[in-house]
């Protein structure tokens, strides 16, 4: 097996790794396949192998409503940011159905739903900003990639489309952006 060793004159790539310490505390519910705890386990693996020493580890911000509304509808985001488990049965049934959220969908209402989505989106937005500014060469956000959400509808475990938000950020600086979905 050949081991590739970088040439001395090659520039070392700057790798930014985005992680929210609270990411593993969110819970979609019993039996749901989406497990944010896996993101926390991935972070623990990164640390146990010592990879974090080679990366710029960044505690990213949670995206605010204005950042998220660059793609998503304001009524939809208002719903996501205000819904609680207590309200799901009574006040919000019609809106929940319209926005693709609730018990009969793959996008349940859970404690901290908006904070979790805002965290995932914040990492992708911040990654795009650093890439566009030339402050990093590679950006990793394990909590990102929630690309199934539509403008005003949750879908496929995704409520906020952080990929679109990151691309919109990159389009502020570049004419084109190529996105490849590998799932």
């Amino acid at each position: 097996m050949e081991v590739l060793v970088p040439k001395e004159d090659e520039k070392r790539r700057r790798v930014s790794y985005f992680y929210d310490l609270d990411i593993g505390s969110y819970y979609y519910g019993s039996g749901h396949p989406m497990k944010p705890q896996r993101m926390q386990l991935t972070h623990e693996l990164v640390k146990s192998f010592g990879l974090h020493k080679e990366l710029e580890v960044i505690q990213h911000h949670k995206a605010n409503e204005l950042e998220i509304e660059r793609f998503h509808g304001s009524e939809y985001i208002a719903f996501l940011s205000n819904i609680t488990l207590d309200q799901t049965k009574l006040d919000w049934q019609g809106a929940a159905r319209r926005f693709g959220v609730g018990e009969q969908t793959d996008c349940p209402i859970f404690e901290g739903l908006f904070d979790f989505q805002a965290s995932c989106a914040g990492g992708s937005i911040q990654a795009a900003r650093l890439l566009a500014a030339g402050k990093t060469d590679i950006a990793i956000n394990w909590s990102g990639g929630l690309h199934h959400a539509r403008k005003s509808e949750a879908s496929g475990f995704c409520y906020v489309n952080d990929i679109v938000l990151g691309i919109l950020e990159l389009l502020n600086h570049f004419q084109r952006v190529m996105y490849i979905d590998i799932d």
Side-chain angles (χ1 to χ4, degrees):
M1 177 168 77
E2 181 182 352
V3 177
L4 299 176
V5 179
K7 298 174 187 163
E8 286 193 34
D9 62 343
E10 284 186 13
K11 180 180 142 192
R12 184 176 169 97
R13 292 196 174 170
R14 298 164 296 171
V15 181
S16 298
Y17 171 73
F18 296 87
Y19 183 70
D20 180 349
L21 296 172
D22 297 327
I23 206 73
S25 65
Y26 301 102
Y27 183 60
Y28 273 59
S30 173
H32 197 283
M34 177 61 157
K35 308 276 188 239
Q37 298 77 15
R38 292 179 185 150
M39 297 167 200
Q40 184 176 356
L41 291 173
T42 302
H43 180 67
E44 295 303 321
L45 278 173
V46 166
K47 285 179 21 184
S48 70
F49 283 105
L51 296 173
H52 65 293
K53 297 173 187 170
E54 304 296 321
L55 310 169
E56 178 188 11
V57 180
I58 299 170
Q59 167 77 34
H60 58 266
H61 80 289
K62 287 182 170 51
N64 62 47
E65 290 181 28
L66 286 176
E67 289 174 309
I68 295 171
E69 287 173 3
R70 286 195 63 202
F71 172 66
H72 292 285
S74 59
E75 188 180 353
Y76 173 62
I77 296 308
F79 168 80
L80 290 181
S81 64
N82 289 302
I83 189 71
T84 66
L85 288 172
D86 296 336
Q87 295 170 321
T88 59
K89 302 288 186 223
L90 307 170
D91 307 333
W92 296 86
Q93 284 184 350
R97 234 182 340 273
R98 186 177 60 204
F99 295 132
V101 176
E103 293 175 4
Q104 304 303 317
T105 73
D106 56 1
C107 297
I109 296 167
F110 58 90
E111 198 63 45
L113 182 155
F114 186 75
D115 284 343
F116 174 66
Q117 297 298 312
S119 176
C120 297
S124 295
I125 292 167
Q126 196 169 349
R129 287 178 181 155
L130 288 182
L131 286 165
K135 294 181 179 178
T136 193
D137 300 307
I138 298 170
I140 301 168
N141 176 21
W142 292 125
S143 64
L146 302 174
H147 61 279
H148 295 283
R150 299 179 184 122
K151 186 170 183 69
S152 291
E153 184 180 352
S155 179
F157 318 157
C158 308
Y159 305 75
V160 171
N161 195 322
D162 67 296
I163 296 299
V164 168
L165 295 172
I167 289 170
L168 289 172
E169 189 64 39
L170 291 169
L171 286 172
N172 288 332
H173 305 276
F174 305 104
Q175 280 188 325
R176 293 180 293 184
V177 173
M178 181 170 67
Y179 166 66
I180 301 171
D181 178 8
I182 57 172
D183 75 344

